[in-house]
Amino acid sequence: MLRPMALMAAVVSGTISVQAAFAQSATKLSEICGDCKVEKVVSCGAGKFLEGPNFDKDGVLWMVGLMAGEILKVAKDGQCTVAKTGLNFPGGTRFDKEGKLIVTTRSALVSFDPRSSELTTLRSLYGTQGFRGLNDVIVDRQGGVYFTEPNGSSVIRPIGRVYYMPPSRTGDLQLIGDTFAFPNGIVLSPDETVLYVGEYAMNRITGVPLSSAGMVNPGRVPWVFAALAGGIGPDGMLVDSKGNVYTAHYMAGEVVVHDCFGFQIGVIKLPADAGMGSTNIVFRDGYLYITEALKNDVWRVPAKIPPT
């Protein structure tokens, strides 16, 4: 299968027809999740607002409680326990190569060491300005970190920012863009040539072409990758090894799956009594795990295509 940017270039150049490109992306939802039966994994109690699920190398599930200011851990017996308190509205998380959990908070990008429970502030400023409120994060293959800053932006005030912190974690942050409408979830294509940004206030996903890590490709135009229907907007996102994009659709109680061209493959719905607050997702051992923030439960559904 061609890489997303290679496919796009082929269509533009005329070496592959639009009809052929569409035919290559005609994936059925059954190829994504089989019968797509969703099951509950764990409940974490009231007042949390679950976000940012991630598994460590030992298969332990970590999350955050945004409203509670907590980092949460699902113990071997299936109980949801508190590993750290006192965070300022933690949102997105990703493990880095050192096994530390990178966490976005309202005021800073921080690192949490699961072994020592130590919190370290990685960044709290852009230039001389404090952050308005961070949301989600993704770590690239080199260890660089992309993260979103949505607070203060909206559909009528698109001033949300997306940043890149190089693997060295020194020097200035690279600004990917500063005109997003509440940039929420964020993920990279398998070849890391496209950065997908969930514009929550627009109920859409924007594709940002990259020429290299942290650098927008000047020869390509960012585009609306996909528009969502209903709910409020896209939250956490993932890609699989075929380039399909999975999006937790907040207040729709679902995960929407698109192929690499932005054509919708299908929708994975949470049960009717599960709650509508689908916030974030993560792959692990043949399953897609989904956090639901209004009832504070974690669900999972089979995932037939492996992650990147």
Side-chain angles (χ1 to χ4, degrees):
M1 182 176 181
L2 291 173
R3 299 184 302 178
M5 292 305 294
L7 276 168
M8 184 181 302
V11 171
V12 171
S13 68
T15 58
I16 182 171
S17 69
V18 173
Q19 291 83 0
F22 179 78
Q24 287 187 18
S25 60
T27 303
K28 296 180 180 179
L29 189 61
S30 60
E31 298 174 50
I32 298 294
C33 52
D35 62 5
C36 301
K37 184 178 180 180
V38 182
E39 61 181 354
K40 187 186 292 188
V41 177
V42 64
S43 296
C44 287
K48 304 289 187 186
F49 202 93
L50 292 185
E51 277 270 25
N54 272 273
F55 286 89
D56 65 21
K57 63 181 181 179
D58 297 321
V60 176
L61 175 60
W62 296 79
M63 299 175 289
V64 295
L66 184 146
M67 298 303 295
E70 298 171 341
I71 295 176
L72 304 166
K73 176 182 179 180
V74 178
K76 295 294 185 181
D77 61 2
Q79 293 299 307
C80 189
T81 59
V82 177
K84 189 74 173 181
T85 61
L87 282 80
N88 185 11
F89 291 95
T93 74
R94 279 293 188 276
F95 278 102
D96 65 13
K97 292 182 177 181
E98 298 175 356
K100 295 180 180 178
L101 194 65
I102 308 298
V103 185
T104 57
T105 73
R106 178 163 292 180
S107 55
L109 185 71
V110 303
S111 173
F112 172 73
D113 188 337
R115 296 169 291 253
S116 66
S117 296
E118 181 182 1
L119 271 178
T120 302
T121 297
L122 300 175
R123 292 298 174 102
S124 60
L125 299 172
Y126 174 57
T128 60
Q129 300 175 359
F131 292 130
R132 295 188 299 255
L134 307 182
N135 188 281
D136 213 343
V137 59
I138 188 74
V139 180
D140 68 15
R141 285 193 291 263
Q142 291 75 39
V145 179
Y146 295 87
F147 59 100
T148 58
E149 182 191 37
N151 283 24
S153 66
S154 70
V155 68
I156 60 174
R157 194 169 184 254
I159 60 168
R161 293 170 176 164
V162 176
Y163 303 99
Y164 181 71
M165 182 179 69
S168 65
R169 300 182 182 176
T170 61
D172 295 335
L173 292 176
Q174 295 168 221
L175 182 66
I176 301 299
D178 59 1
T179 58
F180 294 98
F182 208 96
N184 197 325
I186 190 169
V187 75
L188 288 159
S189 63
D191 61 7
E192 300 194 349
T193 62
V194 179
L195 181 69
Y196 297 108
V197 181
E199 291 195 82
Y200 179 83
M202 289 282 196
N203 209 13
R204 73 184 188 189
I205 301 166
T206 296
V208 180
L210 302 175
S211 57
S212 59
M215 298 297 294
V216 178
N217 189 333
R220 301 280 183 188
V221 177
W223 74 101
V224 176
F225 169 76
L228 307 185
I232 295 181
D235 204 323
M237 296 192 295
L238 293 173
V239 296
D240 65 24
S241 56
K242 292 188 176 181
N244 301 312
V245 179
Y246 301 65
T247 305
H249 193 188
Y250 186 67
M251 291 310 292
E254 64 188 18
V255 174
V256 186
V257 188
H258 294 90
D259 65 22
C260 64
F261 281 102
F263 291 106
Q264 183 173 300
I265 294 171
V267 174
I268 302 168
K269 296 290 292 185
L270 293 179
D273 62 348
M276 301 290 279
S278 38
T279 54
N280 222 311
I281 47 182
V282 66
F283 289 119
R284 180 71 185 189
D285 292 340
Y287 285 95
L288 174 71
Y289 288 78
I290 307 161
T291 50
E292 196 289 319
L294 302 183
K295 295 189 176 181
N296 295 291
D297 299 327
V298 181
W299 299 79
R300 73 178 187 181
V301 65
K304 298 185 72 175
I305 300 175
T308 54

